[in-house]
Amino acid sequence: MKSETPVQKSGWIVWWINTVIYFLLAVLLVGALSHVSALSNNQMDRALAIGMSIVIALMLIAIQIISFFMIKFIHKDNSYIYPIVLVVLAFFGPTLYLIPGIWGIMYANGKKLKK
């Protein structure tokens, strides 16, 4: 297996920062759901809050899984696809993915120019 490049190391740092932030967000979300249940007697409000929480949690988990594999394969075949996917993911929320995404594009471009 290839040794990790600084691009990949920065990607893993960003990935872990986002994972910790998402975990803290999940803890806050559970606390907010308990307050929604206490403040509202309307079952539709509770159902909507729980449903939206599940949708948001699934979206955040999907982003983390996709970004994990994009960082893992960021230098596979010196392709632009993996860093570009990281840049696109940055527009869906975790903007820190712009760092390894743009850096990965520049790294792949440098490798292709040297050939």
Side-chain angles (χ1 to χ4, degrees), residues 27-103:
V27 170
L28 289 173
L29 196 61
V30 168
L33 281 177
S34 66
H35 286 298
V36 166
S37 296
L39 294 175
S40 176
N41 291 331
N42 189 354
Q43 289 184 348
M44 286 297 288
D45 289 344
R46 283 187 227 152
L48 182 64
I50 290 171
M52 287 304 294
S53 300
I54 290 171
V55 168
I56 290 170
L58 289 175
M59 189 176 97
L60 295 178
I61 289 170
I63 287 174
Q64 286 300 97
I65 290 171
I66 292 168
S67 62
F68 175 84
F69 287 108
M70 295 304 108
I71 293 168
K72 184 176 179 180
F73 299 122
I74 198 164
H75 299 306
K76 187 176 182 182
D77 302 328
N78 287 328
S79 176
Y80 290 120
I81 293 173
Y82 303 105
I84 288 174
V85 171
L86 282 175
V87 171
V88 170
L89 282 177
F91 290 112
F92 286 110
T95 56
L96 285 176
Y97 285 129
L98 281 174
I99 297 168
I102 292 173
W103 195 0

Side-chain angles (χ1 to χ4, degrees), residues 13-29:
I13 291 169
V14 167
W15 189 84
W16 277 108
I17 288 171
N18 281 322
T19 302
V20 169
I21 289 171
Y22 289 164
F23 178 75
L24 293 174
L25 220 128
V27 170
L28 289 173
L29 196 61

